[in-house]
Amino acid sequence: MKSIRKIGILALVLIGMVFASCTKNDESTIVLIGEERYIDEILTVIPDTLRPMFDSYFGGIPEGPVPPRIVGSYVVDPKMRYASNVELWPLSVLEPNVYLRFSDQNNGTVTMDLAEATEQMTDTVFVMGHHKDFTVYFIENKVYDIPFETQSFHVRVKRGVIMTGTVGLLGLSNFKIASVIMEAEDDSNGMLGQYEPGSFFIYRDGNGLAENFEW
């Protein structure tokens, strides 16, 4: 099971208390009344040094205090490796489908269910954007074991994750997922290879559309 670190949770709680009665919801947009906006935490997910490269790969990362309504269920099929700064990391490889469900969207937060291969997670993540374009972002702490010969090593990885796309009638178009390694450690004493902080991996939907799909 994956767990997501709550980014700036105290600030979000305080903002939620102040504006709980000042929010207008309709079928297309979650509107935050007034000039206020959530603290821009995207810089904690994508370091400044990587931002120009990410903007190039993504064609710009949608930002803004009024994201579109992304509530719904979707499937990334096929999930394709798209770009990375890790040498010898093969691209254009298909991976297991990703199933997403967004619910309870409120201003800059949304509940996300995600299933991929044998893993599944549910948590509150952050969303920003403008018009129909959006960015979902969060920090993930993942702990798992890797079998190696006759033993097994414990691995801990902290990574920033972003998802971008455009809301449409058939699903989320131009959909991409990226992860950036922030910390990685294990107890193998160097027997396992390890990604360096700043290593990133970008995936896209193979046909450009994460279709509407109930799961």
Side-chain angles (χ1 to χ4, degrees), residues 28-99:
S28 61
T29 308
I30 306 301
V31 180
L32 178 62
I33 302 300
E35 305 262 331
E36 301 80 5
R37 63 173 293 171
Y38 284 96
I39 296 172
D40 185 4
E41 296 284 359
I42 193 67
L43 293 179
T44 66
V45 178
I46 305 175
D48 283 336
T49 54
L50 294 178
R51 184 59 188 265
M53 189 176 300
F54 267 63
D55 283 338
S56 175
Y57 282 124
F58 280 80
I61 295 174
E63 298 186 61
V66 186
R69 187 175 186 271
I70 62 172
V71 170
S73 296
Y74 312 94
V75 59
V76 181
D77 177 18
K79 176 188 174 187
M80 178 176 289
R81 299 179 186 178
Y82 172 60
S84 176
N85 62 352
V86 178
E87 293 184 6
L88 303 179
W89 197 72
L91 302 179
S92 299
V93 175
L94 300 183
E95 297 198 358
N97 292 350
V98 176
Y99 299 88

Side-chain angles (χ1 to χ4, degrees), residues 190-206:
M191 296 180 67
L192 295 177
Q194 193 60 269
Y195 294 123
E196 295 293 327
S199 299
F200 70 80
F201 312 90
I202 303 176
Y203 307 85
R204 64 181 177 85
D205 189 285

Side-chain angles (χ1 to χ4, degrees), residues 7 31 95 102 114-116 145 180 195 205:
I7 310 172
V31 180
E95 297 198 358
F102 296 109
L114 183 151
E116 180 177 14
D145 293 333
V180 181
Y195 294 123
D205 189 285

